[in-house]
């Protein structure tokens, strides 16, 4: 392996280690209350080394946010491409989201939910606009899943945006509750099935009963 290639691999690994340390601290302490010095100590790098990868704490946060939304959007795209109906597609999406936030990226959820609110006013609007834009992209993928089933008659002709808002709202609140001590005595798949039952039992298109 060429030295330049090896250096790039090492650089990428170090950058990821810094981001993971920052996610943990942002998730626990919040964006505003976390310093670059603390991130450096957590990641076991010097403060100067942190600045060799990121110009500022805000740039570090922006890259973390982009990485998180890229992950979520990849789950939505993967679900949309499944050869099945909307219920199975949303099930795959929800299971991936829950598994990620409750296991792999348990601090990431807090970063997305809390950190933006602790930013300085001049940073907040830019970040909020970015978040709204990414959420819109992801919601569009999910609403396309519902629209497809509306067209083929599997689902009632209800506003797909409203359906996805309800679905995402329940999913978000369940994840928040699980992360903050509201014990739900159900496996993740059972939780997702319950959410989908609440959504689809109300919107599934059924034949009128014969009197």
């Amino acid at each position: 392996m060429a030295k330049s290639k090896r250096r790039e691999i090492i650089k990428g690994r170090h950058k990821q280690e810094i981001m993971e340390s920052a996610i943990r601290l942002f998730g626990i302490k919040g964006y505003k209350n976390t310093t670059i010095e603390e991130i450096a100590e957590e990641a076991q790098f010097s403060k100067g080394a942190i600045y060799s990868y990121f110009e500022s704490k805000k740039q570090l946060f922006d890259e973390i946010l982009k990485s998180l939304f890229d992950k979520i959007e990849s789950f939505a795209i993967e679900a949309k491409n499944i050869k099945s109906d909307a219920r199975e597609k949303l099930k795959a999406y929800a299971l991936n989201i829950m598994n990620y936030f409750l296991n792999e990226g348990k601090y990431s959820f807090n970063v997305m939910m809390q950190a933006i609110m602790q930013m300085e006013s001049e940073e907040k609007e830019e970040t909020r606009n970015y978040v709204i834009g990414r959420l819109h992209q992801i919601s569009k993928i999910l609403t396309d899943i519902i629209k497809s089933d509306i067209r083929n008659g599997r689902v009632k002709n209800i506003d797909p945006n409203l359906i996805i808002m309800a679905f995402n709202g329940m999913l978000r609140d369940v994840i928040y509750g699980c992360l903050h001590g509201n014990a739900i005595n159900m496996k993740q798949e059972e939780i997702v099935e319950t959410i989908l039952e609440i959504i689809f039992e109300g919107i599934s298109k059924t034949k009128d009963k014969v009197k």
Side-chain angles (χ1 to χ4, degrees):
M1 185 184 294
K3 287 185 178 180
S4 59
K5 182 69 174 178
R6 189 180 297 113
R7 281 197 296 269
E8 285 301 310
I9 291 173
I10 293 171
K11 184 177 179 181
R13 187 185 304 135
H14 288 173
K15 187 174 181 179
Q16 186 62 34
E17 288 170 357
I18 293 167
M19 290 174 67
E20 288 172 359
S21 295
I23 288 171
R24 182 177 183 278
L25 290 174
F26 289 154
I28 294 171
K29 300 183 63 176
Y31 173 82
K32 188 174 182 179
N33 296 324
T34 300
T35 66
I36 288 290
E37 289 83 359
E38 289 171 325
I39 294 169
E41 182 178 354
E42 178 76 16
Q44 297 185 346
F45 285 92
S46 68
K47 182 178 176 181
I50 301 293
Y51 282 119
S52 71
Y53 289 97
F54 303 97
E55 293 180 0
S56 63
K57 184 172 74 169
K58 177 63 165 56
Q59 187 196 31
L60 171 55
F61 177 72
D62 286 346
E63 291 209 29
I64 288 170
L65 208 56
K66 180 182 182 302
S67 176
L68 292 176
F69 278 115
D70 285 349
K71 173 78 74 175
I72 296 170
E73 188 168 341
S74 74
F75 291 151
I77 292 170
E78 180 183 332
K80 185 179 178 180
N81 290 333
I82 292 173
K83 302 297 183 183
S84 190
D85 59 16
R87 185 169 184 150
E88 286 301 310
K89 291 179 179 184
L90 292 184
K91 178 181 177 180
Y93 172 78
L95 285 172
N96 277 332
I97 290 290
M98 287 197 70
N99 180 62
Y100 178 71
F101 283 126
L102 297 182
N103 298 302
E104 299 175 51
K106 61 182 180 179
Y107 297 109
S108 300
F109 187 80
N110 286 346
V111 170
M112 293 176 61
M113 295 293 290
Q114 298 175 14
I116 185 174
M117 302 309 298
Q118 298 182 19
M119 289 185 161
E120 301 297 335
S121 58
E122 64 269 18
E123 300 173 328
K124 191 175 290 187
E125 184 175 0
E126 176 192 350
T127 305
R128 183 185 289 113
N129 289 339
Y130 176 77
V131 169
I132 290 171
R134 293 304 302 268
L135 288 174
H136 178 75
Q137 289 175 334
I138 294 164
S139 292
K140 184 179 185 306
I141 297 168
L142 298 178
T143 55
D144 284 346
I145 291 173
I146 297 296
K147 286 177 182 178
S148 177
D149 267 26
I150 290 174
R151 286 194 297 269
N152 62 35
R154 289 196 186 104
V155 170
K156 289 180 180 179
N157 190 13
I158 298 173
D159 185 347
N161 293 300
L162 182 59
I163 295 169
I164 293 304
M165 284 175 65
F167 169 72
N168 280 334
M170 282 191 282
L171 191 57
R172 181 188 63 241
D173 287 352
V174 165
I175 292 170
Y176 181 87
C178 289
L179 287 172
H180 290 83
N182 296 329
I184 301 175
N185 296 319
M186 299 169 68
K187 295 179 180 178
Q188 290 181 20
E189 187 161 353
E190 292 174 329
I191 293 172
V192 170
E193 285 287 3
T194 301
I195 291 172
L196 292 171
E197 183 178 351
I198 293 168
I199 293 290
F200 281 88
E201 289 307 309
I203 65 174
S204 295
K205 193 171 184 179
T206 57
K207 294 181 180 179
D208 293 333
K209 292 181 179 179
V210 178
K211 295 182 179 179

